[in-house]
Amino acid sequence: MTENPETFIFDFDSTFIRVEALDVLCEVIYDNSAAGTQILSEIQRLTDLGMEGKLSLKESLTSRINLLEANRDHLGAVIEELKNKVTASVIRNRAFFKQHSENIYIISNGFKEIIIPIVQEYGIKPEHVLANTFKFDHDGKIIGFDEKDQLCENKGKVYKIKSLNLPGEVIMIGDGYTDYETLEGGAVSKFFAFTENVSRPIVVEKADRIAPSLDEILYDLSYKASVSYPKNRIKVLLLENVHEDAVKIFEHEGYNVEVIKGALSEDELCEKIKGVSILGIRSKTHVTEKVLECAKKLHAIGTFCIGTNQVDLTACSMKGVSVFNAPYSNTRSVVELAIGEIIMLVRNTFDKSTKMHAGIWDKSATNSVEIRGKKLGIVGYGSIGSQLSIIAEAMGMKVYFYDSVDKLALGNAKKCSSLKELLALSDVVSLHVDGRASNKNIIDAEAFEYMKPGVIFLNLSRGHVVDIEALTANLKSGKIRGAAVDVFPEEPSNNEEPFLSSLRGMSNVILTPHIGGSTEEAQFDIGHYVARKIIQYINTGTTYGSVNLPEIQLPELQSAHRIMHVHENVKGILAQINTILSEYDNNILGQYLKTNETLGYVITDIDNFHNKELEKKLKKIPNTIRYRILY
């Protein structure tokens, strides 16, 4: 006996499975041959006409069967292929099907011989499969179907369901027009247009309920689903040309994704972020406390780059918003650009190339030198600075570095005791510092005074760490022989805005539009890394890789509820959580606690029993910042 009286009726093709079964039968028969491709295209056309009500079902079925020239021997391979093409949200909710098997039916204009072996694995009874049956000749060739069955006729699903005389509320879930007809014809009381695999405009327009996944349906009907919150309700906003693979990863997870190519201003983001659960940015969009005040549903921010200075991390922490970045993914790309620019600058390659394009042949070795033996001074010895150190040394340079934090020197690199010391001895200076406020104008007019005459200068870190006017003046005076600049204090928010700078037009300056980490490989890696970290956090609560919340690597959640509690780091929180759990007779299966200077993060796995009052009490614990539950 089920807790709810509803009867669920599922369409099969493009609902229970992701594809059309006869399409797969065609692929099995013709094995991607040219003839098969042509036949498949025609079968898909006939299927769509039938699903949209533009062709009678009997005509559609007859035409498709005649085109296929299929045999009974083909069906085994089709069934095995389709078992791997069950819809993702159906797979996630396998337990729902088994628990409510008495009240679940499959109805299809397809064929029992294919459907039953697949749905049986989900606990659905063969007698609850309402579908057509093939006709075979003595050689096993499929020559037709039982034309007396109502399901090969127009409105066949309506008549078939009515003939069952099902008690209580009957709910139809499907993607096609024939599925919608069951509501229109009075055979069911509710119809969900199922769009996880295909969205048919004619069906979506008529349906009053649209379901991007089975999770959404079960959530809407207050059934226990495989997830605590439907994934299609999790809105993702991605700005600044985040890599398309990240978009696909979020979409594949079932999230509702919106992409905007450029950056947004504070006011624009305040408006756009309402209702957003996940925000993805690069370096130009700033997430301020004001923005976070408007982000009531925000759970995670991904900075699809190395830096996080564009995000107010303190404000994020106090709202329980986890921030993830990609600290190593574009390291190699930045280092390779730096090496290339150093070589071009010491060889005057850029200036020589410009003259050649103007028709000037200027063959001369004057002021053209090797990098071998030259002293490279690296300001900032993090992941980029240290890797530049290794590669530059391998190419024969003598490497010196300065960092405000003690760092292990790699290879033969030597640490300088002060920035002034490093600037005074370097033939080439390359900046690789982060964007913290204290680094603003770390290279100013005074710093340029410490440098050698004829020094080569590179900034591939942050725009505001260099006084651009002081740099321009030293380039014009000849103190700096050449420079390469990839980042600027003020940058266009998109590719349509003009770039304005006093460095424009200088022959001894290489200007690039903030592309240090913009290689296909780096952006691919960043897209995958950050997207996966965020999804892992949303799905499991794991904060490993978060730059602001205490880091915990959690095991997979299995047959349990997971309670995640972010709070101010004060004593007694864990005891209060456990007291409340004890009051409601919950069995703790596992518990994890991690703190930092300001925050505590408790994860508690409890048995499957869950009580709404328990949830309210956990939220009301003093100093609670955020509470979330997963199952």
Side-chain angles (χ1 to χ4, degrees), residues 465-478:
V465 303
V466 177
D467 181 338
I468 293 296
E469 297 309 314
L471 172 60
T472 302
N474 279 275
L475 282 162
K476 289 179 177 178
S477 71

Side-chain angles (χ1 to χ4, degrees), residues 363-476:
K363 183 178 180 181
S364 169
T366 304
N367 291 326
S368 180
V369 298
E370 296 179 353
I371 64 170
R372 181 175 53 178
K374 303 302 181 292
K375 295 176 181 176
L376 170 64
I378 300 173
V379 183
Y381 206 64
S383 56
I384 294 175
S386 57
Q387 188 168 146
L388 175 60
S389 169
I390 294 169
I391 295 176
E393 184 177 322
M395 298 180 74
M397 299 191 81
K398 298 175 182 178
V399 178
Y400 298 82
F401 71 92
Y402 171 73
D403 198 298
S404 58
V405 177
D406 283 335
K407 296 288 181 72
L408 176 67
L410 302 179
N412 294 312
K414 296 178 181 178
K415 181 178 180 179
C416 294
S417 59
S418 67
L419 177 60
K420 180 179 178 181
E421 178 189 354
L422 178 131
L423 297 178
L425 61 81
S426 300
D427 300 306
V428 179
V429 174
S430 189
L431 300 188
H432 301 285
V433 297
D434 61 31
R436 70 187 68 185
S438 59
N439 282 336
K440 183 176 182 180
N441 287 342
I442 190 174
I443 303 297
D444 55 12
E446 182 180 0
F448 283 119
E449 287 296 318
Y450 298 141
M451 295 183 194
K452 287 181 176 181
V455 68
I456 298 294
F457 179 77
L458 288 84
N459 183 19
L460 284 79
S461 58
R462 297 291 184 274
H464 68 267
V465 303
V466 177
D467 181 338
I468 293 296
E469 297 309 314
L471 172 60
T472 302
N474 279 275
L475 282 162
K476 289 179 177 178

Side-chain angles (χ1 to χ4, degrees), residues 49 76 158 245 349 479 493 611-612:
L49 290 175
V158 177
D245 274 26
T349 308
K479 174 68 179 285
S493 61
N611 187 302
K612 290 290 183 183

Side-chain angles (χ1 to χ4, degrees), residues 243-361:
H243 195 274
E244 61 182 11
D245 274 26
V247 179
K248 291 176 182 176
I249 289 169
F250 285 125
E251 288 177 339
H252 180 73
E253 191 66 19
Y255 298 162
N256 179 5
V257 182
E258 181 180 1
V259 178
I260 296 176
K261 287 186 177 181
L264 296 181
S265 67
E266 183 179 58
D267 288 341
E268 289 172 330
L269 188 55
C270 283
E271 184 61 32
K272 203 69 181 174
I273 205 167
K274 295 173 182 176
V276 169
S277 300
I278 298 168
L279 174 65
I281 61 173
R282 292 178 71 186
S283 58
K284 292 186 178 68
T285 300
H286 289 261
V287 182
T288 62
E289 187 172 5
K290 178 182 175 181
V291 169
L292 292 166
E293 286 298 325
C294 300
K296 304 302 182 185
K297 291 189 175 182
L298 190 64
H299 284 279
I301 297 172
T303 64
F304 287 76
C305 53
I306 291 179
T308 57
N309 60 290
Q310 68 275 45
V311 179
D312 188 332
L313 296 178
T314 301
C316 284
S317 297
M318 297 316 296
K319 290 189 175 296
V321 176
S322 189
V323 181
F324 296 89
N325 68 338
Y328 310 111
S329 296
N330 66 359
T331 298
R332 179 72 182 198
S333 299
V334 177
V335 168
E336 287 186 4
L337 182 61
I339 289 290
E341 290 179 333
I342 290 170
I343 293 171
M344 284 196 292
L345 288 167
V346 300
R347 294 291 300 273
N348 285 327
T349 308
F350 194 76
D351 187 40
K352 298 283 187 185
S353 176
T354 301
K355 289 180 178 179
M356 287 289 287
H357 282 286
I360 301 171
W361 184 269

